[in-house]
Amino acid sequence: EQFKKMAAVPRPTNYMEKISAYLSGWAKEHGFEHWQDKVGNVIFDVPATKGCEGAPLTILQAHMDMVCVAEEGKAFDKFNDPISVIQKDGFLTAEGTPMGGDDAIGIAMAMYAAVSDDVTHGPLRVICTVNEEGGDPSGAGNLEHRFVTEAGYLINIDSEDYATCTVAACGFAAYPFSFKCTREATVSGQRAYKIELSGLLGGHSGVDIAKNRASAIKAVNYILAQMTHKKIPFYLNSFNGGVSMAAIPPNASAVVVVDEANEGALKEIFEFTKKYFAKQFDRTEAGYIFTCNEVPLPEKALTAADSAKAVSLIAAVRVGVNTISQRYAGITESSINIGQIAFNEGDESFNLFVAMRTSSEWPVMLANVEFASIAAAMGVSCEFREQFSIGWVEKEGAKLPGMYAEAFEEYTGDKCVITAVHGGLEC
């Protein structure tokens, strides 16, 4: 019932005023001491059940925003329209739009714990954060420290997996590479080709990074890197790919200019690449399109030297799983991804952003010197990370995960897995 009430309040990321006011009003209505901070986070305190006053303060935390989209052709105003929730056979669903289970269910669970006579608890603090799905300002990032420093435990209620207790997550850092480049006029006797790869699975650059999914940027770049290796000059006009810094790129395209004498070499390298790309990925990436077609000759393109520098830079940065966790079986500890590239006709500098996820200091310390060495060798700039985020890690000997697993099995009859996730979480 509480979930349905929240579903009636529009709450897309970055538009938190209505849901923040609703939750603050709910806390006031129930007589809880509550706060609504400057970014819209709502915090309220729930007194302990009689006899449990001496238990440590426990935080229940969830986020109030949701990703709002609608099926094509459906008239849905995400800023004003309530979500129509359907209750059937013990389940809640919605037609045409997401129902906002991520993460209204977390807030509803915390509310239930706060007011139900069926739940015995020590002192509780409920923290409802804004803009977890992205956007600005970050709720967790702007939360006043005083709301968490006195707590003994914090339980973030935002999991997608049944029978799973997540106790660690990773941090995220972007390394920007850049260099000024020079364009020259193209001449008669040259041809332009567009190399394009689309329709790959892509996916989350953290949780999907170990699934052997192809990087469209690296695949397209391989063709040009082979041209460099074989000392066949080419002139890069544009290179675009990816959808987000935090995603494996499902598409990429590059427009290159070659001398007529080298058209055959370009086509031969493309066919060679396409053959072995198919051998590696046809079973897992079915439905992609990989082409190399002639396009109109642009007026200008990069010099051969700057073209080779850009391509060699992309080739030098290894992507994918970097290290595996020694603490949590089957979980990636650190990974590297080139999620997005945008180099268009007319651009006077080439910029490459390399993203690294890690839950440990040592891999990113090595990446710092590795990326700095690549930049120095190639004569490009790269921002060195003196400070870096490693996310959060379960403390050695922590009691809460074991208590959680014991309670879960007692309540459901199922075993609970205690593990980590290679992604960023609010905790």
Side-chain angles (χ1 to χ4, degrees):
E1 292 308 308
Q2 181 54 53
F3 182 95
K4 290 178 184 177
K5 292 176 183 177
M6 277 189 285
V9 183
R11 49 193 174 87
T13 300
N14 276 338
Y15 295 88
M16 300 280 89
E17 294 83 2
K18 293 179 181 179
I19 188 64
S20 180
Y22 171 79
L23 294 172
S24 180
W26 185 92
K28 181 179 180 180
E29 175 189 339
H30 286 82
F32 298 134
E33 185 178 9
H34 63 283
W35 301 264
Q36 187 179 28
D37 68 16
K38 62 183 179 181
V39 300
N41 295 322
V42 174
I43 304 100
F44 58 90
D45 281 354
V46 181
T49 303
K50 188 175 181 180
C52 299
E53 293 86 354
L57 175 65
T58 296
I59 294 172
L60 302 179
Q61 184 260 320
H63 66 87
M64 61 182 84
D65 62 321
M66 64 173 285
V67 176
C68 292
V69 294
E71 290 179 1
E72 190 173 349
K74 180 177 174 62
F76 178 72
D77 181 353
K78 66 181 181 180
F79 302 109
N80 297 296
D81 290 349
I83 296 167
S84 179
V85 177
I86 301 165
Q87 184 171 347
K88 185 179 180 182
D89 300 328
F91 288 90
L92 300 180
T93 60
E95 288 186 358
T97 65
M99 65 183 301
D102 179 8
D103 189 22
I105 188 63
I107 295 177
M109 291 169 72
M111 288 173 154
Y112 180 78
V115 300
S116 174
D117 292 335
D118 295 334
V119 181
T120 301
H121 57 78
L124 296 179
R125 175 166 293 162
V126 177
I127 299 180
C128 305
T129 47
V130 300
N131 297 338
E132 186 272 347
E133 301 291 356
D136 185 52
S138 159
N142 286 277
L143 186 70
E144 294 180 51
H145 295 181
R146 65 188 178 97
F147 289 122
V148 299
T149 50
E150 60 185 310
Y153 301 114
L154 183 148
I155 302 173
N156 167 268
I157 317 173
D158 190 18
S159 178
E160 300 169 3
D161 300 312
Y162 179 71
T164 301
C165 178
T166 304
V167 294
C170 64
F172 185 94
Y175 291 83
F177 291 84
S178 180
F179 70 91
K180 293 288 185 182
C181 48
T182 303
R183 291 182 182 268
E184 293 180 339
T186 55
V187 298
S188 176
Q190 291 182 324
R191 297 286 184 268
Y193 284 85
K194 184 176 186 179
I195 305 165
E196 190 166 17
L197 175 57
S198 62
L200 298 178
L201 290 173
H204 190 279
S205 66
V207 296
D208 294 325
I209 200 72
K211 295 179 180 178
N212 193 33
R213 292 184 179 176
S215 164
I217 290 173
K218 294 290 278 188
V220 168
N221 192 74
Y222 177 84
I223 297 163
L224 304 178
Q226 278 291 301
M227 296 279 283
T228 301
H229 174 66
K230 295 178 182 294
K231 295 182 171 53
I232 302 169
F234 64 92
Y235 315 93
L236 186 66
N237 180 57
S238 65
F239 199 141
N240 289 278
V243 294
S244 165
M245 282 285 291
I248 301 167
N251 55 65
S253 64
V255 174
V256 295
V257 174
V258 294
D259 300 325
E260 284 182 345
N262 294 323
E263 282 184 279
L266 173 61
K267 293 176 181 177
E268 183 179 336
I269 291 172
F270 169 75
E271 292 299 333
F272 175 86
T273 304
K274 185 176 180 180
K275 174 184 175 181
Y276 284 96
F277 183 88
K279 186 176 180 181
Q280 179 71 14
F281 293 110
D282 268 7
R283 287 185 297 274
T284 57
E285 299 274 4
Y288 66 84
I289 301 172
F290 205 173
T291 58
C292 178
N293 295 315
E294 188 171 0
V295 294
L297 185 68
E299 292 183 2
K300 291 185 176 182
L302 291 192
T303 63
D306 281 351
S307 298
K309 180 184 288 190
V311 167
S312 295
L313 177 59
I314 298 171
V317 177
R318 56 198 173 86
V319 300
V321 174
N322 184 40
T323 56
I324 298 293
S325 174
Q326 298 180 55
R327 188 169 177 184
Y328 304 105
I331 299 296
T332 303
E333 177 186 54
S334 65
S335 65
I336 299 169
N337 181 56
I338 300 174
Q340 196 169 23
I341 188 170
F343 179 67
N344 295 292
E345 187 172 356
D347 287 352
E348 296 180 352
S349 64
F350 185 85
N351 301 295
L352 183 70
F353 294 90
V354 178
M356 183 172 194
R357 296 179 186 271
T358 183
S359 56
S360 183
E361 291 92 342
W362 184 246
V364 77
M365 289 164 64
L366 293 181
N368 269 345
V369 294
E370 181 179 337
F371 293 150
S373 299
I374 290 173
M378 294 189 174
V380 305
S381 67
C382 178
E383 187 175 327
F384 195 90
R385 294 291 176 190
E386 293 290 353
Q387 295 182 327
F388 38 82
S389 165
I390 62 163
W392 54 276
V393 181
E394 172 196 7
K395 292 180 180 177
E396 295 282 358
K399 296 178 180 179
L400 185 58
M403 294 162 60
Y404 180 93
E406 182 181 346
F408 186 90
E409 184 175 0
E410 180 182 333
Y411 185 73
T412 66
D414 296 328
K415 294 284 187 181
C416 176
V417 176
I418 298 174
T419 188
V421 64
H422 192 56
L425 298 178
E426 283 190 288
C427 307

